[in-house]
Amino acid sequence: MRAGRVRMNVIPDASAETLIPWCALNIEVGSLVITDGWSGYNDLEKLSYVHQRILQSVKGKKTSAYLPMVHLIVSNLKRWLLGTHKGAVLPRHLPAYLNEFTFRFNRRFWRGPAFHRALGLIIHAEKWPEYDTLYSVAKGGAGAWVHPTSPADATRPKAGERGDKAVPLPVGGT
């Protein structure tokens, strides 16, 4: 058994008002949905899902064997957040982290096609970015990018001047 594709989102709470619309957007109608015993999933049958409930503990015994992929994926997510981000995950950044995790997880066996897709996007680009357009040099140098550690006052053109004049570089020696 191996996990298929996952989808993750940050949700405000685990109420039925939040969970049921999320399921309707992300799960095909008629699918088998296996959940724990949480009451927030009770209305899944009303939306034409086949709903199977598996309690997380029965008479003191853990039943994690019934949902191994869910536990594995959540465990991998926690390990990735702790390892990559050292646990320093701010709530406002959590959606981006979940998007990256699901992107990587869903493509873990298909690295070649992802590379070929990216290569195809590059090859079919209609307009390539150029140095002049990236650094505003094409407009006569006014507003051109200047490295923050350079002596900007000596080399930056003043208002009304063109920036295409050669600026002598300081040379060591006499």
Side-chain angles (χ1 to χ4, degrees):
M1 180 172 21
R2 101 180 172 180
R5 295 177 54 84
V6 299
R7 293 194 181 181
M8 295 183 177
N9 294 97
V10 177
I11 57 174
D13 56 40
S15 66
E17 292 79 22
T18 302
L19 293 173
I20 298 302
W22 188 91
C23 290
L25 284 172
N26 293 289
I27 303 172
E28 186 176 342
V29 174
S31 297
L32 170 64
V33 180
I34 302 172
T35 67
D36 57 6
W38 184 251
S39 62
Y41 297 112
N42 287 344
D43 292 336
L44 285 174
E45 283 117 5
K46 293 179 185 175
L47 296 175
S48 301
Y49 293 108
V50 179
H51 185 203
Q52 180 181 357
R53 290 175 193 81
I54 298 176
L55 300 177
Q56 288 298 304
S57 63
V58 177
K59 297 180 184 175
K61 294 182 180 179
K62 294 270 182 180
T63 58
S64 60
Y66 293 104
L67 298 171
M69 291 301 142
V70 173
H71 295 285
L72 178 70
I73 291 166
V74 172
S75 174
N76 285 345
L77 172 64
K78 288 179 181 179
R79 178 57 42 209
W80 179 73
L81 288 173
L82 286 172
T84 303
H85 304 289
K86 307 298 185 233
V89 177
L90 297 175
R92 70 176 181 255
H93 298 299
L94 187 57
Y97 294 143
L98 292 179
N99 284 342
E100 182 179 351
F101 179 81
T102 56
F103 179 86
R104 290 171 182 263
F105 186 87
N106 290 339
R107 287 159 182 82
R108 66 195 182 279
F109 298 118
W110 298 285
R111 292 191 177 138
F115 173 75
H116 288 289
R117 175 73 177 136
L119 188 60
L121 290 171
I122 291 170
I123 291 172
H124 295 297
E126 292 181 20
K127 183 170 181 177
W128 294 83
E130 296 176 1
Y131 181 86
D132 291 347
T133 57
L134 287 175
Y135 295 110
S136 303
V137 176
K139 298 187 180 184
W145 181 82
V146 177
H147 193 279
T149 60
S150 71
D153 295 334
T155 59
R156 179 178 288 165
K158 300 196 178 15
E161 278 187 0
R162 293 188 48 90
D164 54 358
K165 295 178 185 173
V167 177
L169 297 174
V171 179
T174 56

PDB file of all heavy atoms in Angstrom, residues 12 25 36 41-42 50 70 73 105 109 141 146 158 160 162:
ATOM      1  N   PRO A  12     -10.021  27.195   9.739  1.00  0.00           N
ATOM      2  CA  PRO A  12     -10.156  27.899  11.017  1.00  0.00           C
ATOM      3  C   PRO A  12     -10.558  26.997  12.176  1.00  0.00           C
ATOM      4  O   PRO A  12     -10.203  27.255  13.320  1.00  0.00           O
ATOM      5  CB  PRO A  12     -11.226  28.955  10.749  1.00  0.00           C
ATOM      6  CG  PRO A  12     -11.977  28.458   9.568  1.00  0.00           C
ATOM      7  CD  PRO A  12     -11.024  27.632   8.766  1.00  0.00           C
ATOM      8  N   LEU A  25     -15.420  20.483  -2.121  1.00  0.00           N
ATOM      9  CA  LEU A  25     -14.529  21.097  -3.104  1.00  0.00           C
ATOM     10  C   LEU A  25     -13.393  20.175  -3.539  1.00  0.00           C
ATOM     11  O   LEU A  25     -12.878  20.303  -4.644  1.00  0.00           O
ATOM     12  CB  LEU A  25     -13.914  22.376  -2.539  1.00  0.00           C
ATOM     13  CG  LEU A  25     -14.815  23.594  -2.487  1.00  0.00           C
ATOM     14  CD1 LEU A  25     -14.129  24.718  -1.717  1.00  0.00           C
ATOM     15  CD2 LEU A  25     -15.177  24.045  -3.888  1.00  0.00           C
ATOM     16  N   ASP A  36     -11.988   9.501  11.077  1.00  0.00           N
ATOM     17  CA  ASP A  36     -12.074   9.053  12.460  1.00  0.00           C
ATOM     18  C   ASP A  36     -13.511   9.291  12.939  1.00  0.00           C
ATOM     19  O   ASP A  36     -14.399   9.564  12.137  1.00  0.00           O
ATOM     20  CB  ASP A  36     -11.041   9.770  13.330  1.00  0.00           C
ATOM     21  CG  ASP A  36     -11.177  11.275  13.282  1.00  0.00           C
ATOM     22  OD1 ASP A  36     -12.137  11.783  12.672  1.00  0.00           O
ATOM     23  OD2 ASP A  36     -10.315  11.957  13.854  1.00  0.00           O
ATOM     24  N   TYR A  41     -17.794  15.195  10.530  1.00  0.00           N
ATOM     25  CA  TYR A  41     -17.930  14.492   9.253  1.00  0.00           C
ATOM     26  C   TYR A  41     -19.291  13.806   9.087  1.00  0.00           C
ATOM     27  O   TYR A  41     -19.513  13.124   8.091  1.00  0.00           O
ATOM     28  CB  TYR A  41     -16.843  13.417   9.122  1.00  0.00           C
ATOM     29  CG  TYR A  41     -15.445  13.947   9.093  1.00  0.00           C
ATOM     30  CD1 TYR A  41     -14.570  13.701  10.145  1.00  0.00           C
ATOM     31  CD2 TYR A  41     -14.978  14.678   8.004  1.00  0.00           C
ATOM     32  CE1 TYR A  41     -13.269  14.169  10.116  1.00  0.00           C
ATOM     33  CE2 TYR A  41     -13.679  15.155   7.967  1.00  0.00           C
ATOM     34  CZ  TYR A  41     -12.833  14.896   9.025  1.00  0.00           C
ATOM     35  OH  TYR A  41     -11.543  15.358   8.989  1.00  0.00           O
ATOM     36  N   ASN A  42     -20.195  13.958  10.030  1.00  0.00           N
ATOM     37  CA  ASN A  42     -21.452  13.205  10.014  1.00  0.00           C
ATOM     38  C   ASN A  42     -22.316  13.449   8.784  1.00  0.00           C
ATOM     39  O   ASN A  42     -23.063  12.571   8.376  1.00  0.00           O
ATOM     40  CB  ASN A  42     -22.269  13.499  11.271  1.00  0.00           C
ATOM     41  CG  ASN A  42     -21.661  12.840  12.501  1.00  0.00           C
ATOM     42  OD1 ASN A  42     -20.821  11.950  12.389  1.00  0.00           O
ATOM     43  ND2 ASN A  42     -22.079  13.287  13.670  1.00  0.00           N
ATOM     44  N   VAL A  50     -19.540   7.846   0.298  1.00  0.00           N
ATOM     45  CA  VAL A  50     -19.575   6.623   1.096  1.00  0.00           C
ATOM     46  C   VAL A  50     -18.660   6.898   2.274  1.00  0.00           C
ATOM     47  O   VAL A  50     -17.455   7.066   2.106  1.00  0.00           O
ATOM     48  CB  VAL A  50     -19.086   5.411   0.272  1.00  0.00           C
ATOM     49  CG1 VAL A  50     -19.099   4.158   1.139  1.00  0.00           C
ATOM     50  CG2 VAL A  50     -19.914   5.242  -0.985  1.00  0.00           C
ATOM     51  N   VAL A  70      -2.553   8.392   6.607  1.00  0.00           N
ATOM     52  CA  VAL A  70      -2.827   9.695   7.217  1.00  0.00           C
ATOM     53  C   VAL A  70      -1.773   9.990   8.269  1.00  0.00           C
ATOM     54  O   VAL A  70      -1.194  11.080   8.299  1.00  0.00           O
ATOM     55  CB  VAL A  70      -4.245   9.737   7.828  1.00  0.00           C
ATOM     56  CG1 VAL A  70      -4.462  11.023   8.602  1.00  0.00           C
ATOM     57  CG2 VAL A  70      -5.293   9.573   6.756  1.00  0.00           C
ATOM     58  N   ILE A  73       1.668  10.640   6.573  1.00  0.00           N
ATOM     59  CA  ILE A  73       1.757  11.940   5.907  1.00  0.00           C
ATOM     60  C   ILE A  73       1.879  13.065   6.931  1.00  0.00           C
ATOM     61  O   ILE A  73       2.710  13.961   6.786  1.00  0.00           O
ATOM     62  CB  ILE A  73       0.549  12.149   4.973  1.00  0.00           C
ATOM     63  CG1 ILE A  73       0.659  11.183   3.793  1.00  0.00           C
ATOM     64  CG2 ILE A  73       0.462  13.592   4.496  1.00  0.00           C
ATOM     65  CD1 ILE A  73      -0.609  11.048   2.985  1.00  0.00           C
ATOM     66  N   PHE A 105       5.214  16.227  -2.185  1.00  0.00           N
ATOM     67  CA  PHE A 105       4.687  14.895  -1.885  1.00  0.00           C
ATOM     68  C   PHE A 105       3.991  14.303  -3.112  1.00  0.00           C
ATOM     69  O   PHE A 105       4.206  13.141  -3.453  1.00  0.00           O
ATOM     70  CB  PHE A 105       3.712  14.951  -0.710  1.00  0.00           C
ATOM     71  CG  PHE A 105       3.247  13.600  -0.260  1.00  0.00           C
ATOM     72  CD1 PHE A 105       3.975  12.887   0.674  1.00  0.00           C
ATOM     73  CD2 PHE A 105       2.090  13.036  -0.778  1.00  0.00           C
ATOM     74  CE1 PHE A 105       3.560  11.627   1.086  1.00  0.00           C
ATOM     75  CE2 PHE A 105       1.668  11.783  -0.377  1.00  0.00           C
ATOM     76  CZ  PHE A 105       2.400  11.080   0.549  1.00  0.00           C
ATOM     77  N   PHE A 109       7.360  10.726  -7.043  1.00  0.00           N
ATOM     78  CA  PHE A 109       7.761   9.655  -7.955  1.00  0.00           C
ATOM     79  C   PHE A 109       7.867  10.131  -9.392  1.00  0.00           C
ATOM     80  O   PHE A 109       8.218   9.367 -10.267  1.00  0.00           O
ATOM     81  CB  PHE A 109       6.757   8.500  -7.889  1.00  0.00           C
ATOM     82  CG  PHE A 109       6.675   7.873  -6.531  1.00  0.00           C
ATOM     83  CD1 PHE A 109       5.493   7.901  -5.811  1.00  0.00           C
ATOM     84  CD2 PHE A 109       7.785   7.265  -5.956  1.00  0.00           C
ATOM     85  CE1 PHE A 109       5.416   7.328  -4.565  1.00  0.00           C
ATOM     86  CE2 PHE A 109       7.710   6.684  -4.704  1.00  0.00           C
ATOM     87  CZ  PHE A 109       6.518   6.718  -4.004  1.00  0.00           C
ATOM     88  N   GLY A 141      20.048  55.183 -17.943  1.00  0.00           N
ATOM     89  CA  GLY A 141      20.741  55.047 -16.672  1.00  0.00           C
ATOM     90  C   GLY A 141      20.062  55.697 -15.495  1.00  0.00           C
ATOM     91  O   GLY A 141      20.404  55.414 -14.363  1.00  0.00           O
ATOM     92  N   VAL A 146      22.104  50.175  -8.421  1.00  0.00           N
ATOM     93  CA  VAL A 146      23.457  50.400  -7.917  1.00  0.00           C
ATOM     94  C   VAL A 146      23.665  49.453  -6.749  1.00  0.00           C
ATOM     95  O   VAL A 146      22.824  49.352  -5.859  1.00  0.00           O
ATOM     96  CB  VAL A 146      23.640  51.869  -7.448  1.00  0.00           C
ATOM     97  CG1 VAL A 146      25.015  52.076  -6.862  1.00  0.00           C
ATOM     98  CG2 VAL A 146      23.395  52.810  -8.599  1.00  0.00           C
ATOM     99  N   LYS A 158      23.320  62.013 -12.219  1.00  0.00           N
ATOM    100  CA  LYS A 158      22.426  62.988 -11.615  1.00  0.00           C
ATOM    101  C   LYS A 158      21.223  63.183 -12.516  1.00  0.00           C
ATOM    102  O   LYS A 158      21.222  62.780 -13.666  1.00  0.00           O
ATOM    103  CB  LYS A 158      23.189  64.295 -11.409  1.00  0.00           C
ATOM    104  CG  LYS A 158      24.395  64.114 -10.494  1.00  0.00           C
ATOM    105  CD  LYS A 158      24.902  65.428 -10.002  1.00  0.00           C
ATOM    106  CE  LYS A 158      26.051  65.325  -9.056  1.00  0.00           C
ATOM    107  NZ  LYS A 158      26.782  64.148  -8.919  1.00  0.00           N
ATOM    108  N   GLY A 160      18.781  64.309 -15.163  1.00  0.00           N
ATOM    109  CA  GLY A 160      19.006  64.958 -16.441  1.00  0.00           C
ATOM    110  C   GLY A 160      20.240  64.464 -17.172  1.00  0.00           C
ATOM    111  O   GLY A 160      20.402  64.714 -18.351  1.00  0.00           O
ATOM    112  N   ARG A 162      22.768  61.492 -18.727  1.00  0.00           N
ATOM    113  CA  ARG A 162      22.651  60.139 -19.253  1.00  0.00           C
ATOM    114  C   ARG A 162      23.632  59.241 -18.499  1.00  0.00           C
ATOM    115  O   ARG A 162      24.708  59.676 -18.125  1.00  0.00           O
ATOM    116  CB  ARG A 162      22.955  60.118 -20.738  1.00  0.00           C
ATOM    117  CG  ARG A 162      21.900  60.857 -21.550  1.00  0.00           C
ATOM    118  CD  ARG A 162      22.106  60.681 -23.035  1.00  0.00           C
ATOM    119  NE  ARG A 162      22.331  59.304 -23.447  1.00  0.00           N
ATOM    120  CZ  ARG A 162      21.373  58.439 -23.805  1.00  0.00           C
ATOM    121  NH1 ARG A 162      20.121  58.825 -23.777  1.00  0.00           N
ATOM    122  NH2 ARG A 162      21.675  57.238 -24.199  1.00  0.00           N
TER     123      ARG A 162
END
